[in-house]
Amino acid sequence: MPRRSKRNRNHTDSDEKTAQDDTTADLTKSVLGGLKGGRRLDGSEDKQQGTTTFKVPFNDKFIICQKYHGPSADENASLIFTHGAGGGIANPATVEFAKGFASAKSALCFQGTMNLKNRVKCFTAVLDEHKAAMALGGRSMGARAATITATDHADTVSTLILVSFPLTSERGGESREDILLNIPGSIDVLFITGDGDKMCNMVNLSRVRRQMKARSWSVVIRGADHSMSLKDKRGVAAMRAKTGQIAAEWLQDRPERTEVIVSWDAETSEIEVGEWQGGLGRARLSKKDADDNPEESEPEKPQARKRQKKRA
């Protein structure tokens, strides 16, 4: 069974109302920064089915948050999640992941700027308001912010869910693995990565995982890029939602094996989920051994697959 956070479990959804009604902070400006593309929320949106939009005070501004309610309407958010640098929490890649996660457990997404240090500060502010969360997570730059925040709060955070973690920038260059290597052994980590992600080479990620102090699991999406998009666009929304569902199931009950491959079958319009394989999260290789044996770092192919129909 997964380790539970040491944070106060008596936190309830009433805290969302407290954040909205707080008159001690100036809530006239939201933390939007330089986000582009119109894929952000301003806090005035009508309530979507199954979601609640609210504000968390942040200095003299506020952070826009959106909770995706799980099967239990009164359930505390199990995951605090944030978007990448290229868009807000209305970005389809974030929305579809959150909807999939909420099929099993509630998730809270928050909106921040493109500045990594500022995003970490926002993460801390939201975490302080929602202490019952079991996990922190994010996609792309948001995954980096989640990693730093979890490491800074390792006494209370026990789980990370990292979607499309960018080991390098789009132009390549120096690896960003240091923050992964700094994650303490008390935190469990789930990576969800497309094998076509140019910012996260799978062999390099496997090498880093072998060196991490933290236990880690890996979900590999065949044919997916950094935005978790597929060549066959019919499967994109369903695949993103499936990754969220897998993350929620992993959070509830860690599998003994540590790697799984998920793929989209264009002929049948179905998602195929392989069996969990390998034991990479418990193995430890030195950096030299990992570099000398890159083939050992590649994910195993699933021996059997279960077909799951495309979401409507």
Side-chain angles (χ1 to χ4, degrees):
M1 293 296 293
R3 294 191 294 275
R4 304 284 291 185
S5 168
K6 299 177 185 176
R7 287 181 173 269
N8 181 8
R9 297 289 171 189
N10 295 324
H11 184 88
T12 67
D13 288 342
S14 63
D15 290 315
E16 293 175 7
K17 185 175 186 299
T18 300
Q20 288 177 301
D21 296 343
D22 189 346
T23 58
T24 63
D26 179 5
L27 300 182
T28 60
K29 298 180 180 179
S30 66
V31 179
L32 294 178
L35 296 179
K36 300 177 181 179
R39 290 175 174 173
R40 57 182 184 256
L41 304 183
D42 62 14
S44 63
E45 290 77 12
D46 292 333
K47 180 179 177 181
Q48 300 178 34
Q49 184 176 4
T51 67
T52 301
T53 302
F54 59 97
K55 304 170 184 177
V56 169
F58 180 68
N59 298 327
D60 62 342
K61 299 183 179 181
F62 61 82
I63 302 167
I64 298 294
C65 300
Q66 189 168 41
K67 181 177 178 181
Y68 289 78
H69 299 280
S72 175
D74 296 329
E75 180 186 16
N76 291 313
S78 297
L79 170 67
I80 299 176
F81 193 84
T82 191
H83 56 88
I89 53 176
N91 185 292
T94 299
V95 170
E96 288 152 5
F97 174 87
K99 286 181 177 179
F101 189 93
S103 67
K105 303 184 79 64
S106 294
L108 187 162
C109 298
F110 77 87
Q111 192 159 266
T113 72
M114 291 188 291
N115 180 278
L116 181 60
K117 290 183 178 180
N118 184 270
R119 189 75 68 92
V120 171
K121 292 179 181 178
C122 289
F123 231 128
T124 300
V126 176
L127 183 60
D128 286 343
E129 290 283 340
H130 294 268
K131 298 178 173 64
M134 297 172 63
L136 305 185
R139 55 163 284 100
S140 194
M141 191 198 83
R144 295 170 65 197
T147 300
I148 295 169
T149 306
T151 300
D152 289 345
H153 296 82
D155 57 332
T156 53
V157 174
S158 63
T159 317
L160 273 169
I161 296 174
L162 308 179
V163 181
S164 299
F165 185 92
L167 268 182
T168 63
S169 69
E170 291 182 276
R171 297 181 295 275
E174 187 175 348
S175 175
R176 296 162 171 165
E177 63 193 60
D178 285 353
I179 61 173
L180 297 176
L181 300 179
N182 288 337
I183 301 172
S186 60
I187 296 177
D188 285 350
V189 184
L190 177 68
F191 291 95
I192 301 175
T193 315
D195 65 3
D197 188 343
K198 295 181 180 179
M199 298 174 70
C200 189
N201 177 275
M202 294 307 304
V203 172
N204 287 339
L205 178 60
S206 293
R207 172 183 58 79
V208 172
R209 288 180 58 216
R210 290 179 183 274
Q211 298 175 59
M212 289 170 59
K213 297 184 290 291
R215 297 192 306 168
S216 69
W217 286 253
S218 175
V219 179
V220 178
I221 312 303
R222 279 190 170 157
D225 61 15
H226 187 67
S227 67
M228 212 56 70
S229 184
L230 304 169
K231 184 176 181 180
D232 185 351
K233 301 307 178 186
R234 296 175 301 164
V236 174
M239 182 61 78
R240 289 169 174 167
K242 174 56 69 175
T243 62
Q245 180 186 345
I246 291 172
E249 292 170 351
W250 172 87
L251 183 61
Q252 182 67 34
D253 188 16
R254 311 282 197 274
E256 291 185 5
R257 300 293 184 173
T258 56
E259 297 174 348
V260 67
I261 295 177
V262 183
S263 59
W264 170 257
D265 189 325
E267 292 185 2
T268 62
S269 296
E270 293 180 348
I271 293 173
E272 297 182 344
V273 181
E275 299 293 337
W276 285 88
Q277 303 285 329
L280 187 58
R282 291 163 176 77
R284 297 287 183 263
L285 283 184
S286 68
K287 185 177 187 301
K288 180 179 184 302
D289 288 341
D291 289 341
D292 290 345
N293 300 280
E295 67 278 2
E296 294 183 9
S297 299
E298 296 180 353
E300 296 182 28
K301 294 182 179 180
Q303 296 177 354
R305 292 183 177 181
K306 298 178 290 184
R307 289 192 171 183
Q308 302 192 19
K309 292 184 179 180
K310 176 183 175 183
R311 288 175 175 268

